[in-house]
Amino acid sequence: MNEDKKSEIMNLIGYGLAKFDNDFANEFAMPSKSAFARYIVGLGLANTVKAVTNRMDSFDPYFDNGRRGWFQRNQREHIKLFIDSLFGNEDVKGFANVVKMFIQELSPDVQIVTSQIPPSTKSKYKLMQETGKEAEFYFINNYMKIPIFVDGILEDARLWGDGYDFQIQCNEKYLLAEVKGLREASGSVRMTKNEYSKALEYNSNY
């Protein structure tokens, strides 16, 4: 099973357990979080029960659930915010359905019951799996930590299709940013002809 996909679904599972507690496990016909964790291990999505509870712990500090979880909050903050942006308004049943869709994609032979899923939720689910979308969301929430963009005003240009994702105004200067995402610490990215042309045009301001 693809390790990137496993990591993505484990983030959703950790988020669901931290936010909805036992109610999330109950949506999978499991009587408790520990039973649910064993179910996830049985599906091959995690190697151990501890791996499931650890993922929940990493999201616990962001929810008022009475558990402290891991105090290193920044470790999952951008992931939590990204999930919020797509599924933050879902109730426990709706969010469980998102996870069930993911399980069915990874394990087609698994029989799992879902209630009716709105088309908009399915669209958000597809959006979630685009590596670049998570990277863009991370940039939106963290761009001011990059020295050149400090105190800059960000304008979203992704819908314009003009070779860059964001314009950042820093005093009288306009900088353009194209965001690329990688799942690993190394690798390569591809620029479109439009992006490359814009980079040549704006040079050091791109």
Side-chain angles (χ1 to χ4, degrees):
M1 189 179 296
N2 185 291
E3 291 301 317
D4 290 341
K5 292 291 187 183
K6 286 174 67 173
S7 180
E8 286 178 8
I9 194 170
M10 286 300 293
N11 283 333
L12 291 174
I13 287 169
Y15 177 103
L17 290 170
K19 185 174 184 177
F20 299 111
D21 209 63
N22 277 320
D23 289 341
F24 183 69
N26 295 161
E27 289 297 320
F28 294 80
M30 297 293 147
S32 65
K33 289 182 292 185
S34 58
F36 175 73
R38 291 193 294 272
Y39 168 70
I40 294 301
V41 172
L43 291 176
L45 300 175
N47 294 327
T48 65
V49 167
K50 187 66 175 174
V52 180
T53 57
N54 281 348
R55 197 61 65 110
M56 176 185 70
D57 288 345
S58 70
F59 285 96
D60 274 340
Y62 304 108
F63 298 102
D64 185 18
N65 57 22
R67 294 188 301 272
R68 184 174 178 222
W70 290 355
F71 63 87
Q72 301 97 330
R73 295 183 56 145
N74 288 336
Q75 187 173 17
R76 304 265 180 209
E77 184 172 11
H78 80 279
I79 299 173
K80 188 265 182 187
L81 291 172
F82 182 60
I83 296 173
D84 276 345
S85 72
L86 295 173
F87 308 115
N89 293 327
E90 297 282 354
D91 60 14
V92 63
K93 184 176 293 293
F95 190 77
N97 279 335
V98 172
V99 176
K100 289 174 181 179
M101 279 195 292
F102 214 140
I103 290 175
Q104 287 185 319
E105 179 185 323
L106 295 177
S107 306
D109 295 334
V110 173
Q111 298 297 314
I112 192 165
V113 177
T114 61
S115 55
Q116 187 172 10
I117 302 172
S120 60
T121 300
K122 293 181 179 179
S123 297
K124 291 176 185 177
Y125 171 77
K126 292 178 181 177
L127 188 66
M128 177 193 69
Q129 298 185 73
E130 296 180 21
T131 305
K133 297 303 180 185
E134 184 177 336
E136 290 165 7
F137 191 82
Y138 180 85
F139 182 81
I140 291 170
N141 285 277
N142 291 277
Y143 77 95
M144 290 186 68
K145 297 177 183 177
I146 302 170
I148 195 173
F149 298 138
V150 170
D151 295 327
I153 300 171
L154 181 114
E155 185 170 358
D156 192 339
R158 288 174 292 179
L159 295 180
W160 303 347
D162 199 27
Y164 59 100
D165 291 323
F166 303 99
Q167 172 185 284
I168 303 94
Q169 181 180 354
C170 300
N171 297 319
E172 299 301 316
K173 192 174 187 179
Y174 292 92
L175 304 174
L176 305 183
E178 171 65 27
V179 179
K180 303 293 185 182
L182 290 172
R183 291 291 183 194
E184 305 296 333
S186 62
S188 60
V189 296
R190 177 178 297 175
M191 295 185 74
T192 66
K193 182 179 179 181
N194 200 16
E195 291 164 358
Y196 186 68
S197 296
K198 193 63 66 173
L200 292 178
E201 179 183 352
Y202 282 86
N203 204 301
S204 60
N205 289 337
Y206 187 93

